[in-house]
Amino acid sequence: QAQLVESGGGLVQPGGSLRLSCAASGSIFSIDTMGWYRQAPGKERVLVAAITSGGSANYGDFVKGRFTISRDNAKNTVYIQMNSLKPEDTAVYYCYADIRTWLGSRGYWGQGTQVTVSS
């Protein structure tokens, strides 16, 4: 089995920045895609950004150059640098990863970290 643990959320003023981290641990053979989703109150969970093991990234349309996803394969960790934050970015941010363990391959979710953008 594997686990994902997120860190880095919090309260930030509009226009500010935050960096979220998510580390995978457990009996991991390999990790394919890692990414971040977010869910605002009363709304569906949506993709923020994802990155493959080879470094190819894609972003949600609302990101518009403000966020950058990266990963450290040696540390099984994915990051997202969020700049120019807006109040509408307020949400719970969830880490996701496609992980292969001795049980096979499946998707894993982190517990979520709250990001609040407010003055």
Side-chain angles (χ1 to χ4, degrees):
Q1 289 284 30
Q3 302 83 35
L4 299 175
V5 178
E6 300 126 334
S7 61
L11 173 65
V12 63
Q13 292 186 342
S17 299
L18 277 177
R19 187 188 192 217
L20 307 182
S21 301
C22 172
S25 62
S27 303
I28 297 171
F29 289 172
S30 62
I31 303 177
D32 189 5
T33 298
M34 303 184 81
W36 293 92
Y37 287 73
R38 72 185 191 186
Q39 187 167 20
K43 296 188 177 181
E44 295 184 350
R45 191 174 298 189
V46 297
L47 174 70
V48 177
I51 185 168
T52 68
S53 58
S56 296
N58 66 288
Y59 296 89
D61 290 341
F62 55 85
V63 170
K64 295 182 179 178
R66 300 181 296 129
F67 298 175
T68 302
I69 191 169
S70 61
R71 65 189 281 174
D72 184 331
N73 290 330
K75 295 181 179 180
N76 291 335
T77 300
V78 64
Y79 309 93
I80 188 162
Q81 177 67 41
M82 304 187 294
N83 299 327
S84 302
L85 284 162
K86 306 174 182 180
E88 51 263 43
D89 293 317
T90 296
V92 178
Y93 284 69
Y94 295 92
C95 177
Y96 174 87
D98 289 317
I99 300 175
R100 181 169 173 255
T101 68
W102 66 277
L103 292 173
S105 295
R106 72 171 181 90
Y108 289 80
W109 291 94
Q111 79 283 1
T113 186
Q114 178 71 46
V115 171
T116 302
V117 184
S118 175
S119 56

